[in-house]
């Protein structure tokens, strides 16, 4: 009864306050200690998982709406958030047919008309240090948790495709923009940074080439400190030069003929 | 009178057959002989220019709709077309206020309600050899022609921003994907290819590094022919290996640690 009332309230809110035909889906990558995960929601009373998403209020910019949705799911507001692709196929049911999907969702007809009509969905991805996140389910979800990138189940809608493309775009981004701010502690070693890159790329990198490339960007400051508590030859500590990091983000590292 | 009738027909068609709240804008870059241009439309009975655009039919995938719109404006169907960003600010009037814009558009109230309501717009760019294109205005436009990339006027809506971001994305793309197929003749010289890159990047490139990089991609076949009619030391002719080119497009050239 409580559920039905809340659902009615949501439908009415949706009809009044949100843009029709457009939605957002969020691929929230979590990095922690050499692992890369994705935040997924489990639909109530099912074993089916999907990406968190959201809709855009009439008075709200698209990007503001994406940040709002992200904050609602993670509790974080200062995040690296990036639009990567807009998904607009008429049929966006992949692993299950439309009928199967609607049965799984278990919504009354009126809700289906609103929530299961055709949407063009704008995909965003974020990259967070997942130790600092409190995953929070939305009204339709029973559970919200991190899944290892290599163990994603069959998802509802076209959400597996979305994760694949988001990861491809994130990996591509490493070749023209710096990454790491907000993901590593203030002071970190070159091996820490290399581990971040290797985790995202899913493959090992050559230590010397990596170091040369990173130092070449001019975004790192080497401190007069070494990591303590380690074995012999403790590695130097570095930190990002915020100003140069921001500049590299904006300028990008383009084609070098 | 003819205009009014046609407008009424368009509005009715729009209401019935197209998704609300979503549109597309197309940044069509034209390359020819060292020049880079953009296709713009002049709004009827004004001196104001804007990008060509389109809307999405209910039964049509987003990408299909983008290809259809592109074909309608250029007569070309086999084009390199790439989604680059979705623009979703509530206020998308930049160089002119909403009021000024609506006055310029000169549409009756009923049309304004349909055509000037808030849209989230998906931006696509294309790159074509402009010698092969017949620019074709749509119903609202008096004229459709190429503008040099360095001489774009103040445009309606947020279309200057769209061109800036499309060009940034196209330039970025050169660092991870090959380009040139459909833009150069079947057989071309290394200087031809270099000119294409320089024109897009808007800056000169080092000849030796460029050649080394391009050959390193493994997408070019050197022919046993040299360009005829030139001076001494006529340059070799090359062609793209279609298969390897397609593979490089799909694989991308990613971060090399």
């Amino acid at each position: 009864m409580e559920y039905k009332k809340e659902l009615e309230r949501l439908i009415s809110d949706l009809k009044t306050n949100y843009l029709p035909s457009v939605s957002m889906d969020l691929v929230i990558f979590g990095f922690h200690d050499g692992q890369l995960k994705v935040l997924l929601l489990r639909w109530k009373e099912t074993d089916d998982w999907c990406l968190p998403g959201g809709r855009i209020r009439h008075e709200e910019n698209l990007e503001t709406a994406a940040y709002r949705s992200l904050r609602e799911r993670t509790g974080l507001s200062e995040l690296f958030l990036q639009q990567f692709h807009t998904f607009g196929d008429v049929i966006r049911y992949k692993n299950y047919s439309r009928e199967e999907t609607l049965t799984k969702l278990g919504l009354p007809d009126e809700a289906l008309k609103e929530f299961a009509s055709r949407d063009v969905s704008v995909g965003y991805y974020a990259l967070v240090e997942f130790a600092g996140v409190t995953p929070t389910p939305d009204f339709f979800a029973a559970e919200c948790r991190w899944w290892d990138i290599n163990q994603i189940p069959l998802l509802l809608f076209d959400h597996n495709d979305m994760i694949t493309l988001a990861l491809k775009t994130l990996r591509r981004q490493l070749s023209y923009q710096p990454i790491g701010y907000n993901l590593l502690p203030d002071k970190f070693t070159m091996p820490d940074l290399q581990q971040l890159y290797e985790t995202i790329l899913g493959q090992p990198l050559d230590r010397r080439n990596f170091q040369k490339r990173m130092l070449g960007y001019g975004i790192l400051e080497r401190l007069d400190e070494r990591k303590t508590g380690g074995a012999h030859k403790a590695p130097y500590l570095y930190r990002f030069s915020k100003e140069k990091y921001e500049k590299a983000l904006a300028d990008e590292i383009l084609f070098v003929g």
Side-chain angles (χ1 to χ4, degrees), chain A residues 70-229:
Chain A
L70 194 57
R71 200 168 51 240
E72 288 168 2
R73 294 288 76 71
T74 64
L76 296 180
S77 49
E78 283 201 48
L79 288 178
F80 167 86
L81 181 65
Q82 170 111 7
Q83 198 192 102
F84 69 98
H85 191 74
T86 294
F87 297 81
D89 278 5
V90 178
I91 307 294
R92 291 183 42 221
Y93 303 92
K94 293 286 164 84
N95 300 318
Y96 307 104
S97 70
R98 180 179 155 86
E99 252 177 22
E100 281 173 304
T101 306
L102 298 187
T103 306
K104 280 170 185 293
L105 301 187
L107 294 171
D109 281 357
E110 202 199 341
L112 283 183
K113 216 171 61 186
E114 296 303 322
F115 289 104
S117 64
R118 181 188 176 186
D119 277 333
V120 168
S121 182
V122 186
Y124 280 87
Y125 67 82
L127 184 55
V128 306
E129 216 301 355
F130 70 67
V133 172
T134 312
T136 311
D138 66 13
F139 174 74
F140 297 102
E143 194 182 343
C144 182
R145 69 172 170 86
W146 295 105
W147 283 74
D148 192 280
I149 192 73
N150 300 311
Q151 285 162 23
I152 307 291
L154 283 191
L155 303 176
L156 294 167
F157 314 109
D158 50 359
H159 292 183
N160 291 90
D161 293 351
M162 287 184 177
I163 294 174
T164 302
L165 190 58
L167 184 59
K168 184 174 179 175
T169 313
L170 173 62
R171 286 174 172 171
R172 176 193 296 166
Q173 196 186 342
L174 297 188
S175 65
Y176 61 81
Q177 281 186 327
I179 208 161
Y181 199 82
N182 282 339
L183 294 173
L184 295 172
D186 269 359
K187 300 175 184 181
F188 52 86
T189 65
M190 196 59 80
D192 293 337
L193 186 61
Q194 182 168 341
Q195 189 197 45
L196 171 64
Y197 274 73
E198 288 178 337
T199 304
I200 294 172
L201 292 169
Q203 61 183 52
L205 297 171
D206 178 78
R207 190 182 62 80
R208 291 168 67 102
N209 286 344
F210 180 81
Q211 172 154 341
K212 191 174 156 204
R213 180 158 177 159
M214 282 300 132
L215 294 178
Y217 290 162
I219 56 173
L220 293 174
E221 289 169 12
R222 199 178 81 177
L223 305 174
D224 276 338
E225 278 176 72
R226 289 169 185 266
K227 188 167 182 175
T228 52

Side-chain angles (χ1 to χ4, degrees), chain A residues 40-50 96 104-105 142-143 145 147 153-156:
Chain A
L40 296 178
L41 293 174
R42 183 166 60 79
W43 200 266
K44 266 175 186 157
E45 297 177 38
T46 74
D47 293 323
D48 289 296
W49 296 80
C50 61
Y96 307 104
K104 280 170 185 293
L105 301 187
E143 194 182 343
R145 69 172 170 86
W147 283 74
L154 283 191
L155 303 176
L156 294 167

